[in-house]
């Protein structure tokens, strides 16, 4: 880039120099006024061939010949530099796009977020906080480019298009969040995603309660109604104001914000021997607290007994601030 910039500066400098030489030369040799000198220089350099202002003398003819030859060479150099720039710029963009698609193709067990509106941005921010591999799909290129996302974290396109979902690696993805503003679009994405990946966990946003059952039937594992949750939250502030205010202060703080994380038996241990929650000693190692347990059969236990045995296919649900969750992820390579 620095080499090209130098070439461009040299080319433009030569162009300006030859033009000024022409203006001053016609002014002095042919005794023209500034307008006529400018005019003669322009038609000479561009080799247009309009009629001269005055008939040139022999001395002027020699000057015009030298000016034409010089300007042809310099203009050719300027055109070649500009052509090189446009070709290299296009090639560079193509190369960047190819590299980006290669990185996306290598992604496995990642999360696809369809839509980068308010809910999509919140989802992406949370996934980024937890260092999860994810890819955002949205039609608005300008919004994506101005976001905090890295180029390999977003794909410009319509999530309703199967080809776009395939490019996003939906066949190898583990989860999909569709947060498009229109319920019909979300329904279409859920149907397409479920056909392309039977094992995909799909979480969909819905605006209308009537869309809930349709999205579930289409294949969504979970359907979230943000407006309903918001209304319930506001009502809870009246019923239990101190409790909700306490939770809000924890949830929307900075590094001390509260986060939940689920950890499987297989992530905790490299063996299949049952171990108790007490033997795990998670709070001492990470600072996180175990608040829930999911058995291998799918039963949930709140505030589990420390003597409960962790077995293969079971999971624990822990709570902790961002630093504690980060420590948990580092200790168990989650």
């Amino acid at each position: 880039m620095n080499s090209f910039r130098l070439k461009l500066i040299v080319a433009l400098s030569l162009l300006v120099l030859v033009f000024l030489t022409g203006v001053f030369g016609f002014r002095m040799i042919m005794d023209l006024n500034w307008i006529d000198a400018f005019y003669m220089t322009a038609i000479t350099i561009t080799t247009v061939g309009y009629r001269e202002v005055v008939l040139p003398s022999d001395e002027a003819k020699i000057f015009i010949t030298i000016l034409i030859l010089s300007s042809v060479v310099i203009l050719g150099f300027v055109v070649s530099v500009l052509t090189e720039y446009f070709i290299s710029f296009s090639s560079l963009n193509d190369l960047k796009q190819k590299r980006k698609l290669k990185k996306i193709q290598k992604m496995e067990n990642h999360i696809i977020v369809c839509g980068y509106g308010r809910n999509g941005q919140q989802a992406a921010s949370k996934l980024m906080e937890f260092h999860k591999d994810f890819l955002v799909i949205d039609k608005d290129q300008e919004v994506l480019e101005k976001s905090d996302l890295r180029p390999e974290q977003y794909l410009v396109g319509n999530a309703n298009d199967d080809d776009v979902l395939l490019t996003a690696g939906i066949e190898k993805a583990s989860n999909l969040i569709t947060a498009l503003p229109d319920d019909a679009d979300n329904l279409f994405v859920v149907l397409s995603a479920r056909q392309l990946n039977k094992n995909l966990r799909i979480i969909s946003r819905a605006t209308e309660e009537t869309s809930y059952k349709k999205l579930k039937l289409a294949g969504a594992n979970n359907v979230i109604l943000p407006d309903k949750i918001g209304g319930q939250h506001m009502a809870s502030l009246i019923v239990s104001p101190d409790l909700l205010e306490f939770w809000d202060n924890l949830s929307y703080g900075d590094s001390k914000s509260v986060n939940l994380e689920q950890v499987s038996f297989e992530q905790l241990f490299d063996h299949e021997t049952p171990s108790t929650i007490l033997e795990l000693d998670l709070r001492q190692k990470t600072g996180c607290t175990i608040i829930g347990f999911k058995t291998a059969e799918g039963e949930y236990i709140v505030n589990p007994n420390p003597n409960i045995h962790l077995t293969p296919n079971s999971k624990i649900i822990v709570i902790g601030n961002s630093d504690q969750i980060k420590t948990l992820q580092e200790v168990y390579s989650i």
Side-chain angles (χ1 to χ4, degrees):
M1 184 59 70
N2 290 333
S3 175
F4 167 76
R5 191 175 297 167
L6 180 61
K7 283 184 181 180
L8 185 62
I9 292 172
V10 171
L12 293 177
S13 299
L14 289 173
L15 187 61
V16 171
L17 178 62
V18 75
F19 198 89
L20 291 176
T21 301
V23 172
F24 283 101
F26 282 117
R27 168 80 174 166
M28 296 172 63
I29 296 172
M30 298 181 66
D31 196 26
L32 302 177
N33 59 44
W34 290 111
I35 298 297
D36 288 341
F38 182 88
Y39 168 75
M40 285 294 294
T41 303
I43 64 173
T44 303
I45 288 178
T46 57
T47 64
V48 172
Y50 284 121
R51 182 180 60 82
E52 297 92 340
V53 176
V54 295
L55 291 175
S57 62
D58 291 341
E59 184 182 14
K61 288 177 182 179
I62 295 173
F63 172 73
I64 292 172
T65 302
I66 295 173
L67 184 64
I68 290 174
L69 293 175
S70 302
S71 60
V72 167
V73 173
I74 292 172
L75 282 174
F77 179 58
V78 172
V79 170
S80 68
V81 171
L82 292 177
T83 303
E84 179 187 347
Y85 168 73
F86 287 118
I87 292 175
S88 62
F89 182 76
S90 177
S91 300
L92 183 62
N93 283 342
D94 289 342
L95 183 62
K96 285 182 179 179
Q97 186 66 15
K98 287 179 180 178
R99 287 179 179 174
K100 175 179 175 177
L101 291 176
K102 280 185 178 179
K103 287 182 180 180
I104 293 174
Q105 288 171 0
K106 291 179 181 178
M107 295 178 75
E108 291 184 0
N109 297 318
H110 57 291
I111 301 154
I112 298 174
V113 180
C114 300
Y116 200 61
R118 179 171 54 88
N119 295 123
Q121 289 176 21
Q122 290 172 348
S125 178
K126 199 68 174 178
L127 293 171
M128 199 180 298
E129 183 181 337
F130 278 84
H131 307 289
K132 298 292 184 181
D133 288 332
F134 68 92
L135 183 71
V136 173
I137 301 175
D138 197 274
K139 293 186 291 185
D140 196 328
Q141 182 173 349
E142 185 178 354
V143 169
L144 292 172
E145 290 178 346
K146 289 183 178 180
S147 69
D148 295 330
L149 301 173
R150 300 191 304 274
E152 63 271 18
Q153 287 182 316
Y154 65 80
L155 187 65
V156 180
N158 190 342
N160 287 336
D161 190 338
D162 286 2
D163 290 336
V164 174
L165 291 176
L166 289 169
T167 303
I170 193 167
E171 294 172 311
K172 296 184 291 183
S174 60
N175 295 272
L176 179 139
I177 298 172
T178 175
L180 300 173
D182 187 77
D183 286 357
D185 289 335
N186 286 319
L187 181 62
F188 195 89
V189 171
V190 171
L191 283 168
S192 300
R194 183 55 70 204
Q195 285 184 334
L196 295 170
N197 188 338
K198 302 296 182 184
N199 300 318
L200 188 69
R201 180 176 178 81
I202 302 174
I203 301 169
S204 176
R205 174 190 185 275
T207 304
E208 304 293 335
E209 290 191 41
T210 53
S211 302
Y212 183 91
K213 288 185 179 180
K214 295 175 184 177
L215 287 162
K216 292 286 284 187
L217 287 171
N221 298 92
N222 301 96
V223 179
I224 307 300
L225 293 156
D227 294 338
K228 183 176 180 181
I229 293 174
Q232 290 175 344
H233 187 83
M234 288 187 285
S236 297
L237 284 170
I238 296 174
V239 178
S240 308
D242 295 331
L243 177 61
L244 264 294
E245 186 177 358
F246 173 74
W247 178 256
D248 285 344
N249 287 333
L250 291 177
S251 299
Y252 302 108
D254 41 30
S255 63
K256 301 305 179 184
S257 61
V258 169
N259 294 292
L260 295 174
E261 178 82 5
Q262 69 172 29
V263 189
S264 66
F265 176 91
E266 288 72 22
Q267 290 173 310
L268 295 169
F269 306 104
D270 56 2
H271 57 76
E272 295 187 359
T273 306
S275 302
T276 65
I277 290 177
L278 185 62
E279 291 170 343
L280 185 60
D281 196 21
L282 193 71
R283 183 168 181 80
Q284 185 65 32
K285 292 178 182 177
T286 67
C288 296
T289 301
I290 299 175
I291 62 170
F293 176 67
K294 183 181 180 182
T295 67
E297 293 75 27
E299 179 188 356
Y300 285 93
I301 301 174
V302 179
N303 194 21
N305 190 301
N307 295 318
I308 285 182
H309 283 82
L310 303 173
T311 58
N313 298 320
S314 64
K315 296 178 180 178
I316 57 172
I317 293 93
V318 305
I319 189 171
N321 62 40
S322 298
D323 294 335
Q324 291 167 340
I325 294 293
K326 185 178 180 181
T327 303
L328 172 75
Q329 293 171 340
E330 291 173 350
V331 170
Y332 294 102
S333 302
I334 300 174

